Amino acid sequence: MPSFRASAAIIEVLPGVDPPAVLAAARASVANTWQVEDSFVDVEPLARGTGSPRVTVRFVVPTGNDDEEDRIAWLAAKALAAGLSPVATWTNLRVFRRDRGRWLPVERPP
């Protein structure tokens, strides 16, 4: 099964929300439908002064053709975004596909 990553930049945790709840919400929103392999928060952009921290969920989708797999991966990314909305303000939703040891960006389907 192909492996993907969906991520979003976190602008702000909403009032009253414990920061670890952001990662939990992201992971749970994807895990409702897809098998999650990993999830984490990357704070490097914030530490380098180049952007906001990113929440990332790594997951697999059923094997099909590349276009179908990529479309399903974007559905997972939209689920991640929906799961984040009640707990954080976010931006810059992205999807990456694992290909021969590299993470390649997947364009949003039309």
Side-chain angles (χ1 to χ4, degrees), residues 4-10 23 26 30 38-42 45 52-59 73-74 76-81 84 90-97 103 105-106 108:
F4 291 88
R5 282 183 175 176
S7 72
I10 303 301
L23 180 59
V30 175
D38 193 14
S39 60
F40 57 92
V41 176
D42 180 9
S52 299
R54 296 191 71 83
V55 64
T56 300
V57 177
R58 181 176 173 175
F59 59 97
W74 270 102
K78 290 176 184 176
L80 178 137
L84 286 174
W90 61 271
T91 188
N92 198 13
L93 187 62
R94 297 180 185 169
V95 173
F96 294 88
R97 180 188 187 110
W103 289 104
V106 176
R108 189 181 305 253

Side-chain angles (χ1 to χ4, degrees), residues 8 13 20 40 57 60 67 71 78 88 90 99 101:
V13 176
F40 57 92
V57 177
V60 294
D67 289 340
R71 183 185 58 76
K78 290 176 184 176
W90 61 271
D99 184 31

Side-chain angles (χ1 to χ4, degrees), residues 17-25:
V17 175
D18 190 30
V22 175
L23 180 59

